[in-house]
Amino acid sequence: MGAGHAAGAAHRLYVPGASPVHRLPPQCKLVAVLAFVLLVVATPRERFWAFGVYALLLAAVAATARIPFGTVARRVVIEVPFVAFAFLMPFVASGEKVTVLGLELSENGLWGAWNILAKGTLGVVTSILLAATTEPRLLLLGIDRLRMPQLLTQIATFMLRYGDVVAAELGRMKVARASRGFEGRDLRATRVLAKSIGALFLRSYERGERVHLAMLSRGYDGRMPVVHDVSATAAQWTAAAALPLAAAFVTLAAWTMP
Amino acid sequence: MHVPDGFINAPVSVAAGVVAVAGVGVALRGARRELDDRTAPLAGLTAAFVFAAQMLNFPVASGTSGHLLGGTLAAILVGPYTGVLCVSVVLLVQALLFADGGLSALGVNITVMALVTVVVGYGLFQLVLRLLPKNRSSVGAAAFVAAVVSVPASALAFTGLYAVGGTTDVSIGKVAAAMVGVHVLIGIGEALITAVTVSSVLAVRPDLVHGARGLIKPPRLRTVEASEPKAGPGGPAEPSRA
């Protein structure tokens, strides 16, 4: 369960900088990242070298963006639950058995574990690099430029903008519970926690009602005004295409080479 | 757990993406009916709420803890269409910013966690509510049943996708048994939280529980006139003028 990250932590994921990767328009980066991840997933798992090349490509991006290795490594922790799952694979999968270090393991399961570890890790690192080089606000602007329905991007914008506020509200409730001697130990705690969640919903929703009225009084008509436009030139699209193009060659080679 | 990249193969991931786009498209249209021009701020704040509620861990058994998924809860509170949008946006932001759930698996995650949970959860909620007497405790009971079934249902949907596009030959029976087994336990926690949350909102703002709208009358303001119709001129002042 990947809990433990706050909605309010979104802006702390961004590593400020002025590298060429930072300066690319968000929509270019989004398309490049999505294409790259799909190519990685479509690569046959038997080609170990291909995944090595993908990792090198990502390392090159990180180096260009001057994202420290430690920052990426610390955030990769998010994948711990599925690493645990991957380690189960060789024990539960069917098919031919091989003996490794005295353990009977399924060969197919070993391949499956490798497949999840390699592709999952590459995917996680790609997302980390995207979030580290693009401000959340710009990322949403990029989604908007890619013709995502307005309503969806608006919901996402409000969620990010008020995530901090709602998370802080939850934090205050936690302090209030603790200062009254509450300790979540067993199932009986559920009642208290659920009441907090109910109160949190009411406060969030009523805040939404107030925000809506405030917006109406400032002339909101269902569309958000575009204050900061991000347009991309052909050169920028080409620059962003470098990563997926290189990856496409690797994928092609991996499929065609014996 | 959010599905990472490489768990489901590329063709099935793309197909699930198409299903997710279609589902979210339907939800976009329906949400306008549920919330009209208030959709963006209210659904946005509800999405922030779902995100925050997922951070609240509750103890399950022997030191392990689970956390709320929130699909059924959101659907009951703000309506099924808006519920789908909220959970989908949460998943989108988690994949884009927090690397929680793969980008190529976003379609799988939205289909399994937003569409299936909301459709099963909300459908069941309405069905149970129709069978029970119309009062507050049956709303809580219906929410419990809906949430307890929606979590394993979502696990089953994942197993179905895994059967078509899984990248490892684990026998599907084993996957189904393991997934459903674990998720029944998670579902019980989810159901307890969902039921108590819905009841506590119902007690304060019954008009905000979309699933029970029209079922339960909001608490009426009883004036002195109404409760003591025979109060004479010497009695308390008429409150309606206050």
Side-chain angles (χ1 to χ4, degrees):
Chain A
M1 297 283 125
H5 49 234
H11 54 261
R12 266 168 268 140
L13 295 173
Y14 177 64
V15 180
S19 75
V21 184
H22 281 82
R23 274 184 279 123
L24 274 182
Q27 64 269 38
C28 306
K29 280 190 264 190
L30 276 166
V31 172
V33 161
L34 194 63
F36 178 76
V37 173
L38 274 175
L39 285 168
V40 169
V41 173
T43 308
R45 60 193 180 188
E46 289 82 9
R47 306 282 183 275
F48 289 113
W49 60 270
F51 297 101
V53 179
Y54 291 141
L56 283 180
L57 286 175
L58 287 183
V61 173
T64 323
R66 299 208 185 80
I67 303 296
F69 178 77
T71 311
V72 179
R74 241 176 293 127
R75 290 185 196 165
V76 170
V77 177
I78 189 95
E79 68 168 357
V80 163
F82 74 78
V83 168
F85 193 92
F87 274 108
L88 276 178
M89 282 284 184
F91 297 98
V92 297
S94 49
E96 282 184 32
K97 301 277 181 193
V98 288
T99 313
V100 181
L101 301 172
L103 288 170
E104 282 266 296
L105 299 177
S106 151
E107 194 179 349
N108 188 282
L110 281 175
W111 278 118
W114 153 251
N115 187 57
I116 292 172
L117 276 183
K119 295 179 180 176
T121 308
L122 285 170
V124 166
V125 172
T126 316
S127 292
I128 291 171
L129 287 179
L130 176 68
T133 57
T134 321
E135 274 182 80
R137 184 179 57 89
L138 286 179
L139 215 46
L140 293 179
L141 226 52
I143 304 178
D144 197 43
R145 291 290 295 206
L146 292 173
R147 301 278 153 77
M148 178 92 115
Q150 267 266 325
L151 192 55
L152 225 48
T153 46
Q154 277 189 36
I155 296 176
T157 311
F158 276 103
M159 179 192 152
L160 274 185
R161 196 172 291 169
Y162 288 95
D164 265 338
V165 179
V166 175
E169 193 95 68
L170 191 70
R172 285 193 292 278
M173 287 179 177
K174 191 176 172 190
V175 170
R177 281 197 305 267
S179 61
R180 284 160 181 79
F182 172 79
E183 227 180 305
R185 251 172 308 193
D186 51 22
L187 222 57
R188 276 169 300 172
T190 314
R191 226 182 128 66
V192 179
L193 292 182
K195 289 236 156 121
S196 305
I197 295 185
L200 186 71
F201 170 73
L202 286 176
R203 290 182 193 178
S204 309
Y205 198 90
E206 285 171 350
R207 187 183 296 278
E209 288 173 333
R210 291 196 299 276
V211 168
H212 175 244
L213 288 179
M215 283 163 62
L216 280 186
S217 65
R218 286 161 180 78
Y220 175 70
D221 61 349
R223 297 182 65 83
M224 293 298 271
V226 180
V227 183
H228 180 115
D229 199 17
V230 279
S231 51
T233 62
Q236 285 170 320
W237 277 109
T238 322
L243 177 70
L245 268 184
F249 278 118
V250 178
T251 314
L252 203 66
W255 273 102
T256 49
M257 271 203 259
Chain B
M1 186 173 82
H2 296 18
V3 180
D5 292 307
F7 225 92
I8 303 283
N9 66 21
V12 176
S13 299
V14 172
V18 173
V19 173
V21 167
V24 171
V26 172
L28 275 171
R29 237 187 245 176
R32 287 248 181 242
R33 255 179 291 135
E34 279 169 1
L35 289 173
D36 53 72
D37 70 322
R38 300 176 302 153
T39 306
L42 287 185
L45 262 297
T46 308
F49 156 74
V50 171
F51 204 130
Q54 288 189 351
M55 297 191 303
L56 197 74
N57 284 296
F58 53 86
V60 177
S62 62
T64 56
S65 68
H67 75 88
L68 198 70
L69 300 174
T72 312
L73 179 61
I76 294 174
L77 289 177
V78 291
Y81 297 112
T82 317
V84 167
L85 289 188
C86 292
V87 181
S88 302
V89 166
V90 169
L91 290 171
L92 173 77
V93 171
Q94 280 170 340
L96 272 182
L97 292 173
F98 296 97
D100 198 3
L103 273 180
S104 73
L106 187 60
V108 174
N109 279 322
I110 290 184
T111 306
V112 169
M113 286 199 261
L115 297 180
V116 173
T117 16
V118 168
V119 169
V120 171
Y122 195 75
L124 210 59
F125 175 76
Q126 287 295 349
L127 192 75
V128 174
L129 210 52
R130 215 162 285 175
L131 301 175
L132 292 175
K134 314 263 175 282
N135 58 34
R136 251 177 57 195
S137 48
S138 44
V139 174
F144 185 90
V145 173
V148 88
V149 176
S150 74
V151 178
S154 143
L156 261 186
F158 170 77
T159 313
L161 283 178
Y162 195 84
V164 187
T167 48
T168 312
D169 282 337
V170 183
S171 76
I172 291 309
K174 268 188 198 168
V175 177
M179 286 294 285
V180 172
V182 170
H183 284 84
V184 163
L185 286 181
I186 298 179
I188 293 174
E190 171 102 7
L192 276 176
I193 298 252
T194 303
V196 180
T197 305
V198 169
S199 315
S200 70
V201 174
L202 202 61
V204 190
R205 288 277 308 260
D207 56 314
L208 286 193
V209 181
H210 184 278
R213 206 165 275 180
L215 255 184
I216 283 139
K217 293 196 176 65
R220 204 153 44 89
L221 188 66
R222 284 180 200 273
T223 58
V224 180
E225 224 174 338
S227 56
E228 294 173 45
K230 280 178 196 162
E238 284 178 32
S240 56
R241 301 243 179 89

